[in-house]
Amino acid sequence: FMMLKTKKYYGISQHFVVFITIFSFISCNAPQFVTSKTIASLYKVSDSASKDQKIEQFITPYRNHIDKDLSNVLAYAPETLDKNGQWQSSIGNLLADITLQKSNPIFYSREKKSIDMCLLNHGGIRSVIPKGNVNAIVAYEVMPFENSAIVVALKGLEIQEMVNYIVLNKKAHPLSGLTFTIDKNNIAVNILIQGIPLDNNATYYVVTSDYLVNGGDNMTFFSKATAKYDLDYKLRNIIIDYFTEVDTIPVINDQRILVQ
C-alpha cells in the first residue's frame, strides 16, 4: 500500500491519518492515488507589444465585419421617436405595433390563433430612434437586453387587472390592440380589444416579453396565464427585421388611452 508522508498533527488530524492509512490498505487490490505534495510556481505573463499586436491583427477583420453589418442603413426616421409622454409615447406605440405585427404570423402558423394585443414595459426602452438614417446599432441601443417575445393566454378578468395596473402605474407602457378611457374618477372604462368590448369570460392572447411574464415590473397578472408560448424571437431582432423591411419609419400618435 501507499505510504503517506505527514507532519505531526494532533486530535482529529491523527484520527484522519489513521483512517486514510487503513482505507488504503483495504483497497490495495485497487490502487488509489492521493496527492502527497503540491508544488506551485509563479510564471510571469508577457505583456509585450508584439503579442498584443498579433492579437489585434487577428481580431480586427472580425470587428470590422461586424461594425460594417451593424452600420448599414436600414431605414429612415422622419423625426426622433422617444418615450416621453404621460400615457403613451411615439416610440412605445411603434414598438408595441411592430411586436404584435411581427409575432402574429409566427403564432398563427404554430397555434392557428391570432394575437389580440401587445404590452411591453416603459423601462425596457433604453434609447431613442433618432431622426435620420437608422441602422442595427439603433436597435441594440433601444433594446440592449436579450428579452424574447412570449405569448400568454389571459382571461378577460386578467386584462382588467392589466388595465388597472396601467392606470395606477402612470407610465407610458407600449400598448397595441387595447384601448380604454380613464374617467374623472380615475377608473378605466370603455375597454376595447381590437375595437371589441372586453369580455371577462373570454380568453385573449397577449404578446409581451419574457421579463414581464416572469414578474418584471410587478406585472403579476401575467402569472395567471392559462398558457404560454415562447416564439424564440428576440425583441431586438423584431426591431431589426422591421427596419429592414420598411423604407421610412412611421410616426404613430393615435390615442390608445384617453383621459376625460
Side-chain angles (χ1 to χ4, degrees):
F1 60 91
M2 251 182 140
M3 296 296 295
L4 296 175
K5 295 181 180 180
T6 63
K7 292 183 179 179
K8 195 171 183 180
Y9 293 98
Y10 298 93
I12 295 174
S13 297
Q14 288 179 325
H15 293 295
F16 179 76
V17 171
V18 171
F19 172 79
I20 291 297
T21 305
I22 294 172
F23 181 81
S24 298
F25 177 79
I26 294 173
S27 305
C28 62
N29 291 329
Q32 296 188 14
F33 299 95
V34 179
T35 302
S36 61
K37 184 189 297 184
T38 300
I39 301 175
S41 299
L42 181 63
Y43 295 92
K44 183 178 180 180
V45 178
S46 174
D47 57 354
S48 65
S50 61
K51 289 190 176 181
D52 289 346
Q53 187 175 12
K54 288 180 180 179
I55 294 174
E56 182 64 25
Q57 288 173 348
F58 178 78
I59 294 174
T60 296
Y62 296 96
R63 180 192 295 119
N64 292 342
H65 179 71
I66 293 173
D67 289 345
K68 181 180 179 181
D69 284 347
L70 293 178
S71 300
N72 287 335
V73 175
L74 303 178
Y76 176 79
E79 64 179 70
T80 296
L81 306 182
D82 58 39
K83 63 179 185 178
N84 294 327
Q86 176 61 46
W87 296 105
Q88 59 189 56
S89 67
S90 56
I91 194 171
N93 287 352
L94 175 72
L95 294 181
D97 280 1
I98 66 176
T99 300
L100 179 56
Q101 173 187 323
K102 300 293 292 179
S103 299
N104 197 45
I106 299 172
F107 185 63
Y108 188 82
S109 68
R110 297 179 186 176
E111 306 297 330
K112 303 307 176 189
K113 299 171 183 176
S114 296
I115 300 174
D116 297 293
M117 60 165 290
C118 173
L119 174 67
L120 302 175
N121 62 318
H122 179 267
I125 305 172
R126 292 307 177 109
S127 186
V128 303
I129 297 177
K131 178 180 179 179
N133 291 333
V134 174
N135 53 33
I137 295 175
V138 172
Y140 275 85
E141 292 172 343
V142 170
M143 196 69 62
F145 311 111
E146 296 299 312
N147 295 127
S148 296
I150 305 287
V151 177
V152 296
L154 295 178
K155 290 293 186 180
L157 288 174
E158 279 71 68
I159 300 298
Q160 180 70 62
E161 285 187 36
M162 177 191 298
V163 171
N164 294 340
Y165 170 91
I166 294 172
V167 173
L168 291 174
N169 198 242
K170 299 184 184 300
K171 290 183 179 179
H173 296 297
L175 190 63
S176 181
L178 170 69
T179 61
F180 60 89
T181 300
I182 303 175
D183 68 13
K184 294 179 181 179
N185 296 315
N186 205 40
I187 297 175
V189 297
N190 193 31
I191 303 171
L192 305 176
I193 296 182
Q194 295 296 333
I196 300 173
L198 176 68
D199 180 353
N200 286 338
N201 297 315
T203 296
Y204 297 96
Y205 295 96
V206 183
V207 62
T208 185
S209 73
D210 54 352
Y211 168 74
L212 298 180
V213 169
N214 292 324
D217 277 10
N218 202 32
M219 294 191 184
T220 55
F221 43 83
F222 281 127
S223 66
K224 301 177 182 179
T226 57
K228 299 177 184 178
Y229 310 86
D230 189 343
L231 300 185
D232 299 316
Y233 201 178
K234 300 292 185 185
L235 295 181
R236 182 194 309 116
N237 291 342
I238 288 176
I239 300 173
I240 293 174
D241 289 346
Y242 178 77
F243 287 168
T244 303
E245 295 171 358
V246 301
D247 177 69
T248 302
I249 298 171
V251 180
I252 307 170
N253 289 319
D254 61 297
Q255 295 295 304
R256 295 158 192 212
I257 300 177
L258 302 174
V259 181
Q260 288 184 347

